[in-house]
Amino acid sequence: MKDGVKKMRKNFLLVFLALGLFFQLKPVLGKDPWADGLTKIQMMTEFIQNNYHQSVSERELEEAAIKGILRTLDPHSYFLDPRRFSRLTEEYKGKYYGLGIMIQKQGEKLVV
C-alpha cells in the first residue's frame, strides 16, 4: 500500500514539475507555433526520460504524441504503428478467390 502511495506522489510531483516547465517555456518561445510546439515536445520528452520513475523509450513517447494529436481531430483519424500498417496492407494486397457472392437478410429470408 505504501509503495502505491509513494508512486502516486512521485507521479503527481512529476506532472506538477512538467506543467511548471511547460509554462516557463512561454517567454522563451518565439512566434513560429510549429517550431515552438516541437521545442515543447522535445523538452517534455527529455524531461520525462530523465525524471519518470521507469524508463520510457523515445519511440513510445513519439507515438503517444502523434496519437494524442490525432485524437483531437475526429474518431476516424488514428495512427497505425509500422507493425499494424504492414498487417493492414498485407490484408489488402492478398489475392481473393471464390464465387464472389454476398449473403444478405431481406425480411425473414436469406438472399444469395
Side-chain angles (χ1 to χ4, degrees):
M1 182 73 174
K2 286 185 179 183
D3 289 335
V5 172
K6 283 183 181 180
K7 281 185 181 181
M8 253 177 55
R9 286 181 181 167
K10 192 170 185 175
N11 288 342
F12 177 75
L13 181 61
L14 179 66
V15 170
F16 183 73
L17 290 172
L19 286 172
L21 175 68
F22 182 78
F23 287 112
Q24 284 183 349
L25 288 174
K26 257 186 167 177
V28 175
L29 302 173
K31 293 184 179 188
D32 182 4
W34 288 105
D36 293 350
L38 291 174
T39 301
K40 289 177 189 176
I41 290 171
Q42 183 180 25
M43 292 182 84
M44 290 303 296
T45 300
E46 290 173 13
F47 181 80
I48 290 168
Q49 286 178 323
N50 294 331
N51 297 296
Y52 195 58
H53 69 92
Q54 64 188 33
S55 65
V56 181
S57 77
E58 196 168 310
R59 184 178 185 99
E60 286 176 318
L61 293 174
E62 288 171 356
E63 288 183 7
I66 293 168
K67 289 175 183 177
I69 290 169
L70 292 175
R71 194 175 347 196
T72 64
L73 300 177
D74 59 66
H76 308 292
S77 300
Y78 55 91
F79 175 73
L80 290 174
D81 60 44
R83 191 183 94 247
R84 287 186 180 160
F85 180 73
S86 68
R87 260 201 267 147
L88 178 72
T89 56
E90 189 176 290
E91 290 175 15
Y92 285 114
K93 287 180 183 175
K95 302 280 185 194
Y96 298 98
Y97 300 99
L99 300 175
I101 61 173
M102 187 166 56
I103 301 173
Q104 295 179 332
K105 186 176 180 182
Q106 291 181 352
E108 293 296 317
K109 297 180 182 179
L110 286 179
V111 178
V112 180

